Amino acid sequence: MTISGIAHVQLAITADGEDVARRFYSELLGLEELPKPQTLAGRGGAWFRCGAQELHLGVEDTVAPSRRHPALLTDDLDSLRARLEAASVPTEDDRQIPGYRRFYATDPFGNRLEFLEPA
């Protein structure tokens, strides 16, 4: 048996938050929205392509802020940061890790996101 990778990561959004999620993840971050399978569409939420993986946003009653987070790779960290800050999304530096430049931001629901660019 071998685990060969990650198919998707799921984050939480609040009820009726799909339009806000689309603006943030699709329009601001540039992720392609994927159609949800018909069997799951009634649950709400939204799915996005993130490289070879997917980012699934599922509806929950409340979204509890946490330091847990996905780390999303980019090829232009500075432009991404400028785009987020221009949209009034605060960004936060942290200690750097070998081989990457990085920063953090929070989506409109309180989910922490790490953005990385190979150094």
Side-chain angles (χ1 to χ4, degrees):
M1 181 196 82
T2 301
I3 302 294
S4 61
I6 294 175
H8 72 268
V9 172
Q10 181 160 323
L11 297 174
I13 64 172
T14 52
D16 300 319
E18 289 84 358
D19 289 340
V20 171
R22 287 182 180 100
R23 281 192 294 278
F24 184 83
Y25 285 95
S26 187
E27 295 175 21
L28 191 56
L29 297 185
L31 299 181
E32 172 193 0
E33 185 171 1
L34 300 170
K36 288 187 70 172
Q38 195 63 23
T39 56
L40 299 177
R43 293 182 177 176
W47 291 7
F48 297 91
R49 182 175 316 286
C50 188
Q53 294 77 36
E54 296 178 6
L55 182 63
H56 294 182
L57 304 177
V59 175
E60 295 185 14
D61 291 335
T62 59
V63 179
S66 172
R67 293 186 54 83
R68 293 181 299 256
H69 62 274
L72 308 178
L73 290 169
T74 181
D75 61 357
D76 192 344
L77 193 70
D78 297 326
S79 291
L80 176 60
R81 186 175 209 158
R83 184 178 190 144
L84 288 167
E85 290 176 349
S88 300
V89 176
T91 63
E92 175 188 345
D93 287 315
D94 198 355
R95 294 179 184 151
Q96 296 301 306
I97 56 177
Y100 293 93
R101 297 174 51 234
R102 69 183 184 153
F103 70 86
Y104 291 93
T106 303
D107 77 2
F109 307 96
N111 294 301
R112 187 176 198 217
L113 303 171
E114 179 179 0
F115 297 98
L116 296 159
E117 179 182 19

